[in-house]
Amino acid sequence: MYRFLLTPRWWGINVFAVLAIPLCLFMGSWQLSRFEDRVDTHQQQEDRSARAKTAAARPLADLLPVNTVTSGRQTSARGHYDTAHQLLVPGRTLKDRHGGQQGFYVLNLLRTDSGKALPVVRGWLPGDAGAKAATARVPAPPKGEVTVTGALQASENQGTDGVQAGGGLPQGQLGMISAASLVNIVPYEVYDAWITLTDAQAPLHAVPPAAADGSGLDLKAFQNLGYTGEWFVFAGFVVFMWFRLFRRDAEAAKDAALGIVPEGDGDGARAGAVVARAGERGEPRAGGGDAAGDAAGDLSQGEGTADERGAGRGEAQGADQGEGRAEGRGEAQGEGRGEAARAGKA
């Protein structure tokens, strides 16, 4: 009864199911592992940030380049501020202390002994970076040689919160803290990193370090979790469709083995044959059901005509035989009477 499984159609269905189900399960497991890795990395980053607050600061050269391990670590650098290039970074918020209030970072470049400059975020102020009342509150950077200590941060990119990468900012403002955005503003090399000071000069507020990219429970992490559910649903859908097709063909094979023809199949087959013969004769067919009905009507009319013709032929043959018999009897009677008359005369 299950010999239909050996047909080419079912060979293709079975091969597809055998390949699709393991693939969906593998992809779902991989996406789940990606989500778990992000959760673990997020926890590790929080632990490192907590230890970094109490750990001793290390020289900047020992922590470069910035990665998920060194991001947020305390570092120290020595040099003097470039007071001619103080920049304001607008559209920034401090969510831990000031809710969703808009403000701006105050950024200065520290010229180190190596010749490169290190971007230093001295603090945050609420307000609009383009308003004179807000910028008037910005304190001047310290003069002379200084040693700064703060949390090391990787250069920002277009996906960082608060970044304004489109440009069009007034002079003295910076949309993204990175070496690429500073290279056209200052005439010297800049480190591909920046620090946020631990102790900010009043009235500035210290900016807490941000988590490194890919180490937090961001939108990408929850996308991995959503993709996990989608792949497992796909695997279940393949199983459901295979079972549904199998049950349908198994029931059809069982009905065929018992000689059960679904209602309407016999009439449909006969109507299809009549339509085919009508097509061979060149008769027009307007539609499936109408053509079948017209052809069936023609067939019934043809059968009636044939019956009438047969009946007519039978009647004609009977009439001919009756006339023949009547003529024979008349001739016999005439001959008998003639002989009797001749005998009487004699």
Side-chain angles (χ1 to χ4, degrees):
M1 185 173 64
Y2 300 122
R3 286 182 296 178
F4 63 87
L5 293 174
L6 301 177
T7 60
R9 172 175 173 269
W10 268 98
W11 270 106
I13 293 174
N14 291 332
V15 170
F16 173 79
V18 168
L19 296 178
I21 293 174
L23 175 63
C24 292
L25 295 178
F26 170 77
M27 293 300 297
S29 301
W30 179 72
Q31 290 290 348
L32 181 60
S33 65
R34 292 279 295 171
F35 174 74
E36 292 175 347
D37 290 342
R38 290 182 181 275
V39 172
D40 295 339
T41 305
H42 174 69
Q43 185 63 42
Q44 294 172 4
Q45 182 67 24
E46 288 186 344
D47 295 340
R48 283 195 296 267
S49 298
R51 292 194 301 268
K53 293 179 180 180
T54 58
R58 297 181 58 184
L60 177 65
D62 296 345
L63 300 177
L64 294 177
V66 185
N67 51 38
T68 56
V69 176
T70 60
S71 178
R73 296 288 300 273
Q74 293 290 314
T75 186
S76 61
R78 188 174 181 82
H80 62 276
Y81 284 115
D82 182 4
T83 57
H85 293 93
Q86 180 169 271
L87 300 171
L88 305 180
V89 186
R92 303 304 174 102
T93 60
L94 292 186
K95 298 180 181 179
D96 58 340
R97 295 181 182 179
H98 302 276
Q101 186 178 4
Q102 287 283 340
F104 56 92
Y105 292 166
V106 179
L107 183 143
N108 286 92
L109 295 168
L110 183 72
R111 299 291 304 275
T112 63
D113 296 338
S114 64
K116 287 186 177 182
L118 175 66
V120 178
V121 173
R122 296 168 51 215
W124 174 88
L125 277 177
D128 185 4
K132 293 183 178 180
T135 57
R137 300 174 55 199
V138 177
K143 296 182 179 180
E145 191 174 34
V146 295
T147 300
V148 297
T149 301
L152 185 65
Q153 300 281 269
S155 292
E156 295 181 337
N157 53 58
Q158 295 183 359
T160 306
D161 292 339
V163 165
Q164 301 181 28
L169 295 175
Q171 185 177 3
Q173 295 187 19
L174 183 69
M176 180 170 59
I177 306 175
S178 67
S181 61
L182 289 167
V183 68
N184 296 324
I185 298 178
V186 295
Y188 40 77
E189 295 185 22
V190 179
Y191 282 107
D192 190 19
W194 58 282
I195 67 171
T196 171
L197 294 183
T198 304
D199 297 324
Q201 182 181 357
L204 298 176
H205 302 276
V207 176
D213 290 341
S215 63
L217 293 179
D218 52 6
L219 180 60
K220 292 183 178 179
F222 291 101
Q223 283 180 345
N224 293 135
L225 186 61
Y227 294 151
T228 300
E230 288 182 0
W231 282 112
F232 288 148
V233 169
F234 291 158
F237 181 74
V238 172
V239 175
F240 168 76
M241 289 303 299
W242 185 94
F243 178 75
R244 183 176 181 181
L245 293 174
F246 172 80
R247 186 177 62 178
R248 186 189 66 180
D249 287 3
E251 290 177 354
K254 183 178 180 180
D255 292 343
L258 296 175
I260 300 175
V261 179
E263 183 179 356
D265 287 356
D267 296 339
R270 286 193 293 271
V274 173
V275 172
R277 288 197 295 270
E280 293 175 357
R281 293 198 302 267
E283 298 178 2
R285 294 179 293 175
D290 295 339
D294 295 342
D298 294 343
L299 180 61
S300 62
Q301 291 177 3
E303 291 175 354
T305 304
D307 293 340
E308 292 174 359
R309 291 175 181 173
R313 289 175 183 173
E315 291 175 359
Q317 291 176 0
D320 291 341
Q321 291 177 0
E323 290 177 358
R325 291 173 183 173
E327 290 176 356
R329 290 175 184 174
E331 291 177 355
Q333 290 176 359
E335 289 178 357
R337 291 174 183 175
E339 291 180 355
R342 286 193 295 270
K345 290 177 180 182

